């Protein structure tokens, strides 16, 4: 039995996102940028990435050496976790309500993922449940800021400080979000 055939067709009342339409106004600029990168043969650390890193640093109002261009969000998480020596035998606490890259970044270091449920209002990590997830093997907390809305990072930092843990923030869905005067 094909279960899909048992489901009646749905009428679409909300149009689906169309990348073609969304990109139409900048199609020429995208094609030119793609051609430049293709022609240069420098897909990693080329002029386009260097320009992007500089522009992002300026937008974030931080020195350019504080911004690193990587190939993906997963690569960014792996690099950040590796930089703080997360690896086999460690646990990293995070939220299950995120893209798979968050957990994948942790497991690629050899560490174990420990999930803490979400706050039912914000859908971010429920900091009231954070402390109960910490064990002697916990090395870091990896909160995810969703929908442009930061999690309660101040509470996360207080818990991390109390237990001597490091914090790596996943801001893939919240670039430019602010907590007080901090981006």
């Amino acid at each position: 039995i094909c279960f899909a055939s048992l489901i009646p067709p749905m009428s679409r009342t909300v149009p689906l996102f169309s990348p073609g339409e969304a990109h139409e106004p900048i199609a020429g600029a995208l094609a030119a940028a793609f051609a430049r990168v293709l022609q240069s043969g420098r897909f990693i650390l080329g002029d386009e990435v260097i320009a992007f890193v500089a522009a992002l640093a300026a937008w974030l109002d931080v020195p350019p050496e504080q911004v690193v261009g990587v190939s993906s969000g997963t690569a960014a998480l792996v690099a950040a976790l590796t930089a703080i020596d997360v690896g086999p035998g460690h646990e990293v606490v995070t939220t299950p309500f995120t893209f798979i890259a968050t957990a994948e970044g942790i497991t690629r270091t050899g560490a174990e993922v420990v999930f803490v449920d979400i706050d039912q209002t914000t859908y971010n990590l429920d900091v009231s449940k954070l402390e109960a997830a910490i064990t002697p093997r916990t090395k870091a907390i990896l909160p995810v800021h969703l929908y442009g809305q930061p999690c309660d990072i101040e509470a996360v930092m207080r818990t991390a400080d109390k237990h001597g843990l490091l914090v790596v923030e996943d801001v893939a869905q919240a670039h430019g979000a602010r907590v007080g005067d901090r981006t």
Side-chain angles (χ1 to χ4, degrees), residues 19 34-35 45 72 74 81 94 106 132-133 138 148 160 174-175 178:
F34 179 77
L45 301 177
S72 68
T74 307
L81 292 168
T94 192
I106 295 166
T138 305
H175 288 100
R178 302 186 68 79

Side-chain angles (χ1 to χ4, degrees), residues 39-129:
Q39 181 64 35
S40 75
R42 295 195 64 205
F43 306 107
I44 300 170
L45 301 177
D47 293 339
E48 302 290 330
V49 175
I50 292 166
F52 172 76
V53 164
L56 183 59
W59 184 68
L60 293 170
D61 195 26
V62 299
E65 53 275 1
Q66 289 186 10
V67 178
V68 178
V70 293
S71 63
S72 68
T74 307
L77 293 173
V78 171
L81 292 168
T82 301
I84 62 170
D85 295 322
V86 169
H90 295 138
E91 295 175 342
V92 177
V93 179
T94 192
T95 172
F97 193 70
T98 182
F99 185 64
I100 193 170
T102 307
E104 183 184 14
I106 295 166
T107 60
R108 285 183 53 193
T109 67
E112 185 178 327
V113 178
V114 176
F115 288 123
V116 169
D117 205 357
I118 61 168
D119 177 282
Q120 295 297 312
T121 304
T122 65
Y123 300 106
N124 283 321
L125 184 87
D126 186 340
V127 293
S128 73
K129 298 176 180 172

Side-chain angles (χ1 to χ4, degrees), residues 113-182:
V113 178
V114 176
F115 288 123
V116 169
D117 205 357
I118 61 168
D119 177 282
Q120 295 297 312
T121 304
T122 65
Y123 300 106
N124 283 321
L125 184 87
D126 186 340
V127 293
S128 73
K129 298 176 180 172
L130 182 56
E131 189 133 2
I134 295 170
T135 74
R137 292 180 42 210
T138 305
K139 173 88 176 201
I141 303 169
L142 202 164
V144 178
H145 307 288
L146 287 175
Y147 312 125
Q149 166 179 268
C151 73
D152 187 352
I153 193 63
E154 291 163 349
V156 170
M157 294 306 293
R158 281 192 302 272
T159 303
D161 289 344
K162 178 180 176 181
H163 294 277
L165 302 174
L166 300 166
V167 175
V168 172
E169 298 176 61
D170 182 338
V171 298
Q173 293 189 43
H175 288 100
R178 302 186 68 79
V179 175
D181 63 351
R182 183 176 158 250

